[in-house]
Amino acid sequence: MKSKTREGQSPAARVTGQSPPPQAAEIRDRWWWVEHSVWTERMLSRLEQSEPTTVWFWLWDKVLAEANLQAAFWAVWRNGGAPGVDGQTVEQFDARAEPELARLREELRTRRYRRQAARRVWIPKPGTTEKRPLGIPTVSSYCT
């Protein structure tokens, strides 16, 4: 067993002036809001080590990740919203979720995906007789 100083650091850490790397559980706790099936331990560790001004350009692989598309669909399914301009309900999409998500992933991968227009509905404003516009996207648009 390694000896510890009074501050809880190992002698090597005290000599080099470096603090020990954070444990995976500590990193996961700080990044609780990310989709854990997409962001791996290695990615989160790299994110922890990077400078605050670091810009992450390559997020497209996260969008195309099968688990991420599935998680997005589950979020739409839990919301239980109304159908968009294509008339497809969440239940209809769910009945064919696997091929629909595969088609969506392929369209995204090959850059053929085109988002459909949102269906416009007018909903009442609370406390007045006025109405405000609400755009309802299609289920597949919502998953991207």
Side-chain angles (χ1 to χ4, degrees):
M1 186 170 146
K2 293 183 179 180
S3 63
K4 301 276 184 176
T5 64
R6 278 185 261 179
E7 296 83 27
Q9 289 183 325
S10 68
R14 187 171 40 95
V15 171
T16 61
Q18 296 175 342
S19 59
Q23 298 297 318
E26 294 172 10
I27 293 173
R28 283 277 178 210
D29 289 344
R30 282 192 293 280
W31 294 91
W32 59 268
W33 51 272
V34 301
E35 182 60 48
H36 293 285
S37 62
V38 176
W39 287 85
T40 64
E41 298 294 336
R42 182 176 174 212
M43 293 164 67
L44 289 176
S45 295
R46 176 69 180 103
L47 188 61
E48 287 274 319
Q49 295 168 1
S50 67
E51 293 293 321
T53 58
T54 301
V55 178
W56 290 69
F57 291 102
W58 300 105
L59 295 178
W60 194 241
D61 59 326
K62 300 343 167 250
V63 173
L64 294 177
E66 193 173 328
N68 197 22
L69 287 173
Q70 183 67 51
F73 171 65
W74 286 333
V76 173
W77 185 79
R78 280 191 306 270
N79 190 27
V85 293
D86 62 355
Q88 185 178 43
T89 65
V90 176
E91 291 79 18
Q92 290 168 336
F93 191 95
D94 188 27
R96 296 184 29 81
E98 193 172 319
E100 288 282 353
L101 290 173
R103 179 191 54 78
L104 180 60
R105 184 171 191 253
E106 183 62 20
E107 286 180 7
L108 288 166
R109 190 184 67 74
T110 59
R111 306 210 177 194
R112 290 182 294 127
Y113 174 76
R114 296 294 175 258
R115 187 180 187 106
Q116 292 184 338
R119 182 169 64 102
R120 179 68 62 167
V121 293
W122 293 86
I123 61 172
K125 282 184 167 182
T128 69
T129 58
E130 294 181 63
K131 293 188 175 195
R132 69 175 180 89
L134 176 68
I136 301 174
T138 62
V139 177
S140 61
S141 293
Y142 222 123
C143 291
T144 57

